[in-house]
Amino acid sequence: MQMFRRSPILTAPWKNHFQASRFLNEHPSTQNTDDSKETCEVVKDHSYDLLASQTGEYKTRILDITRIQGARVLGSLVNQRPRRVDTHHHIVPDFYAQAIKATGGDPSGWPTPKWSLQSANEQMSLLGVEIAFVSITAPGTKIYEGNTEKGRNFARKLNEFSSNLVQQDPAKFGFFASLPSLIDIEGAIAEIDYAHSILKADGFILFTSYDYDKYLGHSSFRPVWTKLNDINSVIFIHPSEAPTTIVNRYMPQPFVDYPHETTRTAADIVLSGTRAAFPNLKIILSHAGGTLPFLGKRLAGAGLIRSLKCPLGPRQILSDLRSLYFDTALSSSVPQLKALLEFADPSKILFGSDVPYASFPLSF
């Protein structure tokens, strides 16, 4: 893979690490029959580098994500606990779960899991996560979209809860702050100010669309992007309910629609010129960018069709798409990671677990 910048080879005993054993069971052709040591290529986990401006004290710690035969991202295969930064780690306070239930449930069709700080710590230990940047996933404040007062108050309550959690153990947690629905521009900007200046948030979570079908490149959201760009923010984009019906009861939207929603909003951000206009932002896409690694080059074709009058050429489109960060939450299959490693800048691939919505081993 020409895009892949190879790092030094790490030699490690395989049998002493359960993650290596799991990989060997799934790919028996890679097993070492003479019981000697195997080698594997290591890609540095750049989660610390991404967030270093907010959490400088963590930058000196060493983390690894391991790539085996260019197909599987696993933990560092060494005789010690892996030390990961989880940029896709959700929390579900009781008042949030109750609010979702009171407003009709998650519109995506996905059940709301039970959560506690104890269970979060257990999952982090199991996955070898040293630091988790927590966030409130969809539907989030969108349950009050259209009700300005409730949306603003709910965002503040979620952020103060997250901030208090971080203050209890700042070496273990950081957080991405929630915003009111972006249709409330004034409220969103006010919460950015408060979360950034007072609560010292590490970044912000945005959803893929608002007001049913306005994706993040929509012109009405420009003031929010301007504010976030001014503070050099980290933006974590998470899919939310798609403007479509649930196909059947076995297919809640996170299975198929969520990856497509991530792709739609990423394409909208780039093709609308939003990404190019706000270069200070570090933007993380969930779930390996959805279908973007598969469709990225196809999207670049928009720059070749004169009738579309796209302001960007194909090279600029691809460059802007590859400037984005990608997490590995629920994206650990061999085909997904092969596509991601072919498309993305390896230094922009981050570890994500998606707990508690995805339990181990799906989160790895």
Side-chain angles (χ1 to χ4, degrees), residues 170-277:
K172 195 169 188 177
F173 294 104
F175 82 103
F176 296 141
S178 298
L179 298 178
S181 169
L182 296 198
I183 64 173
D184 176 15
I185 297 295
E186 182 180 339
I189 290 176
E191 194 60 25
I192 291 170
D193 277 331
Y194 181 78
H196 177 70
S197 301
I198 306 301
L199 300 182
K200 309 301 181 184
D202 298 286
F204 296 86
I205 180 170
L206 298 182
F207 297 125
T208 44
S209 65
Y210 295 88
D211 197 20
Y212 187 66
D213 60 358
K214 289 185 175 67
Y215 291 89
L216 291 177
H218 196 275
S219 59
S220 65
F221 301 150
R222 281 294 178 109
V224 174
W225 286 114
T226 299
K227 181 66 177 179
L228 293 169
N229 189 71
D230 287 345
I231 60 174
N232 302 311
S233 188
V234 174
I235 306 300
F236 173 47
I237 295 178
H238 196 284
S240 58
E241 69 274 14
T244 184
T245 57
I246 295 176
V247 177
N248 64 49
R249 67 189 184 94
Y250 307 112
M251 290 176 60
Q253 289 189 352
F255 281 142
V256 175
D257 295 300
Y258 269 24
H260 292 316
E261 288 299 283
T262 299
T263 304
R264 287 188 184 101
T265 211
D268 192 34
I269 289 169
V270 168
L271 295 178
S272 67
T274 302
R275 177 56 182 148

Side-chain angles (χ1 to χ4, degrees), residues 48-303:
Y48 276 148
D49 293 336
L50 170 64
L51 297 157
S53 60
Q54 284 78 17
T55 54
E57 67 271 22
Y58 300 147
K59 192 172 183 181
T60 58
R61 301 181 185 180
I62 299 173
L63 298 169
D64 291 302
I65 288 179
T66 301
R67 170 177 172 241
I68 301 177
Q69 294 190 339
R72 187 86 174 176
V73 174
L74 295 174
S76 176
L77 300 184
V78 292
N79 288 327
Q80 58 186 7
R81 293 285 296 170
R83 302 168 67 188
R84 299 191 183 92
V85 174
D86 187 354
T87 60
H88 193 138
H89 190 109
H90 299 306
I91 57 175
V92 189
D94 287 342
F95 71 86
Y96 176 54
Q98 292 165 8
I100 292 176
K101 183 177 181 180
T103 53
D106 188 333
S108 75
W110 198 262
T112 301
K114 293 182 178 180
W115 175 88
S116 68
L117 183 56
Q118 179 182 347
S119 65
N121 282 318
E122 290 171 354
Q123 287 279 9
M124 290 173 67
S125 178
L126 184 63
L127 294 169
V129 172
E130 185 169 329
I131 303 168
F133 288 85
V134 302
S135 58
I136 301 293
T137 190
T141 60
K142 290 178 65 176
I143 61 175
Y144 296 125
E145 195 167 62
N147 188 321
T148 299
E149 183 179 1
K150 281 190 174 181
R152 293 180 181 184
N153 291 340
F154 198 53
R156 180 64 53 87
K157 188 174 183 179
L158 291 170
N159 290 336
E160 290 185 339
F161 181 93
S162 299
S163 177
N164 287 335
L165 185 152
V166 172
Q167 290 175 26
Q168 292 176 41
D169 197 345
K172 195 169 188 177
F173 294 104
F175 82 103
F176 296 141
S178 298
L179 298 178
S181 169
L182 296 198
I183 64 173
D184 176 15
I185 297 295
E186 182 180 339
I189 290 176
E191 194 60 25
I192 291 170
D193 277 331
Y194 181 78
H196 177 70
S197 301
I198 306 301
L199 300 182
K200 309 301 181 184
D202 298 286
F204 296 86
I205 180 170
L206 298 182
F207 297 125
T208 44
S209 65
Y210 295 88
D211 197 20
Y212 187 66
D213 60 358
K214 289 185 175 67
Y215 291 89
L216 291 177
H218 196 275
S219 59
S220 65
F221 301 150
R222 281 294 178 109
V224 174
W225 286 114
T226 299
K227 181 66 177 179
L228 293 169
N229 189 71
D230 287 345
I231 60 174
N232 302 311
S233 188
V234 174
I235 306 300
F236 173 47
I237 295 178
H238 196 284
S240 58
E241 69 274 14
T244 184
T245 57
I246 295 176
V247 177
N248 64 49
R249 67 189 184 94
Y250 307 112
M251 290 176 60
Q253 289 189 352
F255 281 142
V256 175
D257 295 300
Y258 269 24
H260 292 316
E261 288 299 283
T262 299
T263 304
R264 287 188 184 101
T265 211
D268 192 34
I269 289 169
V270 168
L271 295 178
S272 67
T274 302
R275 177 56 182 148
F278 302 108
N280 295 340
L281 297 172
K282 299 178 179 67
I283 300 173
I284 307 171
L285 298 180
S286 299
H287 313 126
T291 56
L292 190 60
F294 180 74
L295 296 175
K297 197 165 185 179
R298 184 184 180 102
L299 286 169

